[in-house]
Amino acid sequence: MESFSTLIRTASHEQHVEAETSTFMSDLLGGRLGVSAYARYTEQLWFVYEALENAAGRLAADPVAGPFVRPELFRLAALERDLAHLRGSGWRAGVSALPATRAYADRVRECAERWPGGYVAHHYTRYLGDLSGGQIIRDRAEKTWGFARKGDGVRFYVFEQIPNPAAFKRGYRELLDGVAVDDLEKQRIVAECKRAFALNTEVFRALGEEFPLSA
């Protein structure tokens, strides 16, 4: 029988590809957008991770979500250092969430408050993505905009407390396989993963509208 981690990965594959190949992300990774677009994207991430991580303490003891709450994954402090580098020390006064970002962060918050399984879905789509594809973004950002290697501006992508990402991802998938829910709940979690990717794609679409490439 297919393991739950495999089920999640295959079920959300289409949405995953759609998010990764969005016009905005392609333009950003292709070096066709300025550093301001990268900074705006980093701002949007801050709102999503604030929703994810502010709930973490409350969910740490939850039988379903608790095992996934791992401090070595937390990204908020790194994001704040990056934003201070990109936007200056007064960055908080100037950040704003796009409507699509607000919808995404609200959904994360809603799951955190009412549905631990849904929180796991959002946790998985964000952190495992950061550990994988996020490394491509870091590499391109360093080359395109001259950030110091693994330094300010790209700290979000640097997991200093995870020396072996491959082993960590293996352990994470084992946690997913052992998640304490029945089959029906697993189906609901898979559906929420798809929703998470769709919400993420909407953020990319909105960013693409804000930073269109002039023809």
Side-chain angles (χ1 to χ4, degrees):
M1 204 180 116
E2 199 174 38
S3 70
F4 184 44
S5 57
T6 305
L7 182 70
I8 275 190
R9 195 164 70 238
T10 51
S12 57
H13 179 72
E14 213 173 295
Q15 278 92 345
H16 195 168
V17 170
E18 192 184 342
E20 278 184 348
T21 55
S22 71
T23 308
F24 175 78
M25 202 33 94
S26 302
D27 289 342
L28 195 70
L29 293 179
R32 294 184 289 277
L33 293 171
V35 73
S36 60
Y38 174 77
R40 188 76 167 120
Y41 170 55
T42 306
E43 267 182 31
Q44 304 313 301
L45 290 172
W46 183 77
F47 288 98
V48 176
Y49 283 83
E50 187 195 31
L52 262 175
E53 294 179 11
N54 280 352
R58 202 172 60 248
L59 286 163
D62 181 86
V64 174
F68 295 90
V69 175
R70 307 280 289 275
E72 62 267 43
L73 284 170
F74 290 173
R75 299 287 85 205
L76 214 48
L79 272 170
E80 291 177 356
R81 277 191 73 169
D82 286 343
L83 284 166
H85 182 73
L86 293 161
R87 295 281 199 223
S89 59
W91 65 268
R92 257 175 215 266
V95 293
S96 60
L98 290 157
T101 305
R102 203 169 299 120
Y104 187 178
D106 285 350
R107 180 59 186 167
V108 171
R109 218 169 274 117
E110 190 184 340
C111 288
E113 284 167 14
R114 299 184 192 162
W115 178 31
Y119 181 83
V120 169
H122 286 279
H123 195 279
Y124 162 78
T125 53
R126 288 277 18 139
Y127 292 110
L128 248 62
D130 299 332
L131 277 166
S132 307
Q135 302 316 303
I136 298 163
I137 300 176
R138 176 181 65 77
D139 183 59
R140 294 290 170 84
E142 288 167 358
K143 290 190 172 96
T144 308
W145 300 298
F147 299 121
R149 183 168 147 73
K150 297 190 174 182
D152 288 345
V154 293
R155 288 187 187 277
F156 169 72
Y157 303 100
V158 182
F159 289 80
E160 283 174 342
Q161 295 173 315
I162 300 177
N164 185 337
F168 185 90
K169 286 189 280 190
R170 247 192 329 274
Y172 192 103
R173 292 195 181 103
E174 283 164 13
L175 280 180
L176 277 174
D177 291 339
V179 72
V181 297
D182 62 19
D183 285 347
L184 185 64
E185 179 69 347
K186 284 179 181 174
Q187 291 299 332
R188 289 180 68 214
I189 292 172
V190 167
E192 190 64 27
C193 274
K194 292 183 177 185
R195 183 170 178 174
F197 279 116
L199 287 162
N200 193 39
T201 301
E202 284 304 312
V203 174
F204 286 150
R205 191 170 292 135
L207 283 162
E209 286 169 14
E210 199 170 295
F211 295 93
L213 279 180
S214 46

